[in-house]
């Protein structure tokens, strides 16, 4: 018997120190961790104790005898990782979570900007150091906390969204004060926060999308997938956008997990979406959508596909959806076991493509580089070049899914090439008292749980500076009382409102996407 890590793995690695025989890898101490799409349990050394399942925040760890039909491929995926000779043997000593300690007593007052995974892990790490007696002020631009958990994770990924419940509890822990609807750099500056705090940690994420950089990109019908994701997830910044779904074919440029999410949402049966927390305006628009085919295009070969094996598995389990690939574009050459696993599944998809019979389908294309969007006023086709020459694909909707990108933060330095705030282990400048964590610190890489270890690194740096006396003492003690914005009671009112509407419609919640309506509910209720 063995346990299996399935597709909802969030990579926070809480299971690693829980395992008594060190059979879960890669650990955060191992170089593969940062780039790994998930963690894997070694079936040959697992003793079936269940300790990992007890601590998993998203219930991604399941005994092999209790796997649901849709999770069965993950048993082979876990085993495949250990097929690599470099992964075959490990010390029997279990890797442990890093522990940050301090000999300098608190209270240490820290302002944290953001409420997504990175920010929440920073707050949790600060509060876990008892000697600090940390007092944390959390600043959030929106009235709905959660960051990418609420506004980025696909609505049909309820298991992944479950990690947000832990973040919600973190915001309610003793020592935490939350101000919502307050924009860092505009409503309050770093200097103002430092007047009442020893340090400021900015973990506001990367909310923009990378541009294709081709002629015709300004045509109607060409959008960033980041905007589309925000639209169907009810982000107030994107709620009033419109997307023309009148074409039978859409093209998604990029083949990471966001690309697969977008394709699945575009083609998923209406009856499956209506049981999720997808925004009501998106649900209505998708019900009338004419899109029946989504072409997911990768610039490089199939062995460089950015989607995870888990997302590919889940996409193939979407009801009423066929997957299509061209065998000639799936060229051998992969060396690591997970890429080989993905290539094998793509070859199986290609072999079955001739028998595709569903009304809706996702077509994988590889080795095509977009060179121009064409049309009169709105997009009608997208031109590509490849080793075989040029190719044109007719489409009325183009979504660029080639990555998230952070935007400059007022008052902080910014590297436009890497789209990050320059830092050393999270520290911005010398003795500035300002730190960064998450995608703003390292770029848009890693899963949700990767932010836990990124946050721990930043907090370690902050605590070391505190120990060394490099943090200035606050000049005032009452800033949090003077800050504008609303407290958590506003979010509680919005949350209750959304859940009440959801119960009436048989859904987890019906999101309030309009910022003004959110404020009215938050203030009046």
């Amino acid at each position: 018997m063995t346990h299996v890590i399935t597709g909802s793995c969030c990579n926070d690695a809480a299971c690693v120190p829980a395992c008594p025989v060190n059979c879960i890898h890669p650990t955060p101490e191992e170089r593969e961790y940062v780039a790994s799409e998930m963690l894997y349990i070694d079936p040959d050394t697992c003793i079936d104790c269940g300790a990992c399942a007890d601590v998993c925040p998203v219930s991604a760890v399941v005994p092999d005898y209790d796997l649901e039909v849709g999770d069965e491929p993950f048993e082979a995926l876990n085993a495949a990782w250990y097929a690599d000779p470099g992964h075959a043997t490990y010390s029997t000593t279990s890797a442990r979570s890093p522990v940050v300690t301090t000999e300098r007593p608190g209270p240490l007052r820290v302002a944290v900007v953001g409420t997504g995974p990175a920010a929440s892990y920073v707050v949790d790490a600060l509060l876990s150091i008892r000697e600090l007696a940390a007092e944390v002020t959390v600043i959030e631009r929106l009235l709905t906390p959660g960051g990418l958990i609420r506004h980025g994770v696909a609505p049909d990924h309820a298991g992944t969204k479950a990690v947000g419940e832990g973040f919600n509890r973190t915001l309610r822990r003793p020592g935490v004060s939350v101000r919502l609807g307050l924009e860092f750099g505009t409503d309050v500056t770093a200097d103002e926060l430092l007047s009442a705090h020893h340090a400021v940690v900015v973990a506001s994420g990367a909310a923009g999308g990378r541009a294709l950089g081709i002629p015709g990109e300004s045509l109607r019908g060409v959008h960033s997938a980041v905007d589309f994701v925000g639209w169907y997830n009810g982000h107030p910044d994107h709620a009033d956008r419109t997307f023309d779904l009148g074409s039978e074919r859409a093209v998604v440029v990029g083949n990471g997990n966001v690309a697969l999410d977008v394709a699945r949402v575009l083609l998923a049966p209406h009856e499956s979406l209506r049981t999720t927390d997808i925004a009501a305006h998106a649900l209505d628009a998708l019900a009338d959508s004419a899109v029946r085919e989504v072409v997911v295009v990768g610039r490089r070969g199939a062995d460089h596909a950015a989607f995870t094996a888990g997302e590919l598995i889940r996409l193939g389990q979407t009801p009423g959806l066929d997957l299509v690939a061209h065998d000639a574009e799936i060229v051998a050459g992969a060396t690591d076991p997970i890429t080989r696993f993905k290539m094998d599944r793509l070859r199986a998809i290609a072999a079955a493509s001739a028998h595709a019979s569903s009304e809706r389908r996702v077509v994988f294309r590889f080795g095509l580089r977009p060179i121009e969007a064409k049309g009169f006023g709105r997009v009608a086709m997208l031109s590509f070049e490849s080793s075989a020459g040029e190719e044109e694909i007719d489409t009325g909707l183009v979504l660029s899914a080639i990555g998230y990108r952070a935007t400059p933060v007022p008052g902080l330095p910014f590297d436009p090439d890497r789209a990050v705030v320059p830092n050393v282990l999270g520290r911005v400048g010398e003795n500035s008292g300002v730190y960064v964590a998450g995608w703003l610190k390292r770029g848009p890489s890693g899963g949700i749980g990767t932010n836990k270890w990124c946050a721990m690194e930043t907090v370690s740096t902050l605590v070391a500076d505190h120990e060394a006396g490099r943090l200035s003492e606050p000049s005032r003690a009452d800033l949090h009382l003077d800050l504008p914005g609303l407290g958590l009671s506003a979010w509680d009112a919005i949350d209750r409102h959304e859940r009440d509407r959801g119960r009436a419609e048989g859904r987890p919640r019906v999101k309030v996407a309009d910022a003004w309506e959110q404020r009215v509910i938050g203030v009046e209720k």
Side-chain angles (χ1 to χ4, degrees):
M1 299 293 185
T2 183
H3 277 63
V4 178
I5 298 180
T6 62
S8 57
C9 175
C10 71
N11 274 47
D12 87 334
C15 54
V16 169
C19 178
V21 294
N22 193 31
C23 73
I24 305 175
H25 296 273
T27 72
E29 292 83 6
E30 294 163 352
R31 61 181 178 81
E32 299 103 327
Y33 173 77
V34 173
S36 181
E37 60 185 52
M38 58 182 285
L39 306 184
Y40 308 93
I41 292 177
D42 185 352
D44 293 333
T45 57
C46 174
I47 60 174
D48 199 31
C49 69
C52 52
D54 291 340
V55 299
C56 179
V58 293
S59 302
V61 186
V62 183
D64 58 359
Y65 54 79
D66 205 24
L67 284 169
E68 296 182 2
V69 173
D71 288 332
E72 289 177 348
F74 289 98
E75 184 171 12
L77 178 61
N78 279 245
W81 198 80
Y82 292 92
D84 187 314
H87 301 158
T89 58
Y90 290 94
S91 165
T92 56
T93 302
S94 179
R96 298 293 170 185
S97 298
V99 176
V100 181
T101 60
T102 179
E103 296 180 359
R104 182 172 179 173
L108 180 69
R109 302 178 68 183
V110 181
V112 176
V113 180
T115 55
S120 298
Y121 283 129
V122 167
V123 176
D124 191 64
L126 287 167
L127 297 178
S128 69
I129 308 170
R130 183 173 302 176
E131 295 80 7
L132 287 179
E135 298 175 1
V136 183
T137 304
V138 176
I139 306 296
E140 168 59 55
R141 180 174 70 90
L142 302 177
L143 295 181
T144 50
L148 284 179
I149 298 298
R150 177 177 170 99
H151 297 121
V153 176
D156 56 349
H157 279 6
T160 304
K161 286 176 176 287
V163 73
E165 295 301 321
F167 298 154
N168 189 40
R169 290 191 294 271
T170 294
L171 295 179
R172 301 171 190 280
R173 291 180 60 179
V176 180
S177 172
V178 180
R179 302 309 295 173
L180 303 173
L182 192 63
E183 186 167 9
F184 177 74
T186 301
D187 299 320
V188 63
T189 67
D191 287 342
E192 288 172 329
L193 289 174
L194 286 171
S195 71
H197 301 84
H198 294 89
V200 176
V201 182
V202 185
S204 50
R210 292 177 56 198
L212 291 172
I214 61 173
E217 191 168 8
S218 61
L219 288 170
R220 294 196 308 275
V222 181
H223 306 271
S224 167
V226 172
D227 296 335
F228 189 68
V229 169
W231 173 74
Y232 67 61
N233 272 325
H235 194 297
D237 291 351
H238 305 282
D240 60 351
R241 294 181 181 273
T242 57
F243 297 87
D244 188 345
L245 305 178
S247 172
E248 288 194 2
R249 178 185 293 125
V251 175
V252 179
V253 180
N255 57 18
N257 283 352
V258 171
L260 268 57
D261 282 346
V262 166
R264 194 180 60 256
V265 169
L266 278 168
L267 296 172
H270 186 259
E271 56 270 21
S272 65
L273 290 177
R274 64 189 296 270
T275 61
T276 72
D277 67 354
I278 189 171
H281 57 255
L283 184 64
D284 292 341
L286 290 165
D288 297 327
S289 171
V291 177
R292 295 295 179 268
E293 177 180 285
V294 177
V295 183
V296 176
V297 181
R299 302 182 185 214
R300 298 196 289 175
D303 55 339
H304 289 96
F307 54 72
T308 63
E311 285 298 319
L312 182 60
I313 290 169
R314 294 301 194 205
L315 182 67
Q317 295 170 347
T318 305
L321 183 65
D322 279 329
L323 305 186
V324 176
H326 302 304
D327 192 63
E329 295 180 355
I330 307 171
V331 181
T335 56
D336 69 278
I338 301 305
T339 301
R340 288 198 300 269
F341 183 94
K342 292 194 292 188
M343 294 284 280
D344 287 344
R345 292 194 74 88
L346 285 170
R347 289 191 188 95
I349 289 169
S353 293
H355 305 292
S357 58
S358 296
E359 180 189 21
R360 304 175 186 225
R361 64 182 190 167
V362 174
V363 180
F364 290 99
R365 297 297 309 275
F366 300 99
L368 299 181
R369 185 177 71 86
I371 55 176
E372 184 177 5
K374 298 179 179 180
F376 296 98
R378 66 166 300 105
V379 68
M381 66 177 60
L382 198 57
S383 295
F384 299 87
E385 67 176 12
S386 68
S387 58
E390 291 192 11
E391 180 178 343
E392 294 182 335
I393 299 178
D394 294 336
T395 180
L397 176 64
V398 175
L399 297 173
S400 169
I402 56 175
Y404 282 77
R405 179 181 173 86
T407 54
V409 178
L412 300 188
F414 190 74
D415 181 342
D417 294 327
R418 296 179 56 221
V420 298
V421 171
N423 68 92
V424 177
L425 301 178
R427 183 193 299 113
V428 179
E430 290 293 328
N431 302 328
S432 69
V434 178
Y435 302 80
V436 286
W439 284 1
L440 190 63
K441 168 187 172 183
R442 69 182 192 276
S445 62
I448 292 170
T450 311
N451 291 290
K452 177 178 180 179
W453 305 89
C454 175
M456 185 66 72
E457 180 183 71
T458 294
V459 170
S460 297
T461 303
L462 190 159
V463 170
D465 289 345
H466 171 62
E467 288 276 314
R470 288 192 284 264
L471 302 181
S472 300
E473 287 295 318
S475 59
R476 54 185 298 186
D478 61 347
L479 178 65
H480 69 284
L481 297 176
D482 298 338
L483 290 174
L486 303 175
L488 270 180
S489 60
W491 161 237
D492 289 340
I494 296 168
D495 185 40
R496 285 194 302 271
H497 180 85
E498 291 182 343
R499 290 180 185 274
D500 287 345
R501 290 178 61 188
R503 278 191 291 272
E505 298 184 19
R507 303 176 60 191
R509 66 173 67 237
V510 175
K511 290 179 177 177
V512 178
D514 180 78
W516 177 252
E517 184 182 356
Q518 288 179 353
R519 183 166 291 275
V520 170
I521 294 170
V523 171
E524 294 186 352
K525 296 188 178 181

